[in-house]
Amino acid sequence: MSTTWNHTAAFASAEILETTGEDLLVATCLAAAAQGDVSAYYDLGVAYSTGSHGVDCDLIEAHKWFNLAAASGHGEAALCRADISDEMTAREIAEAQRRAREWLSTTVRKAA
């Protein structure tokens, strides 16, 4: 096991978690996503849409990550986002879009 930082949804606070190898992938992807890594956005979308790598299946989070990847030019992410949108309500999609905007706002502020 290794120790990584897990940020809350708003990324205002952090806590230490004990992680396994699978969990480490998500932590690594979150760190890369904070740097604007489009592949990390996509990988997080896959993890949340399938409930793999130590995260529960969460279509709102999956849509958020696929949306960020698609907006950055990742073609496959746009297809995945469309796929999971068929299983989501309009409110869930709106929440995913709000979270994506919040992520961009938070990461742009950190970079500035």
Side-chain angles (χ1 to χ4, degrees):
M1 288 200 175
S2 62
T3 302
T4 57
W5 289 94
N6 180 42
H7 296 277
T8 61
F11 301 98
S13 65
E15 61 185 35
I16 297 176
L17 296 177
E18 292 299 318
T19 61
T20 63
E22 283 191 341
D23 299 333
L24 192 56
L25 175 69
V26 173
T28 302
C29 284
L30 282 171
Q35 300 300 315
D37 185 325
V38 177
S39 294
Y41 293 158
Y42 177 77
D43 291 343
L44 286 164
V46 171
Y48 280 103
S49 67
T50 60
S52 60
H53 301 292
V55 297
D56 292 330
C57 184
D58 183 339
L59 295 184
I60 294 171
E61 277 298 298
H63 189 285
K64 171 183 103 174
W65 292 114
F66 285 140
N67 196 28
L68 290 166
S72 298
H74 195 290
E76 177 113 7
L79 297 172
C80 293
R81 181 187 57 199
D83 255 359
I84 66 169
S85 292
D86 291 340
E87 301 175 37
M88 299 172 70
T89 66
R91 280 194 181 163
E92 290 171 327
I93 292 169
E95 174 62 15
Q97 292 169 335
R98 185 195 65 74
R99 289 182 191 181
R101 286 189 303 272
E102 182 179 342
W103 171 265
L104 290 174
S105 172
T106 301
T107 55
V108 166
R109 252 187 257 131
K110 284 182 184 177

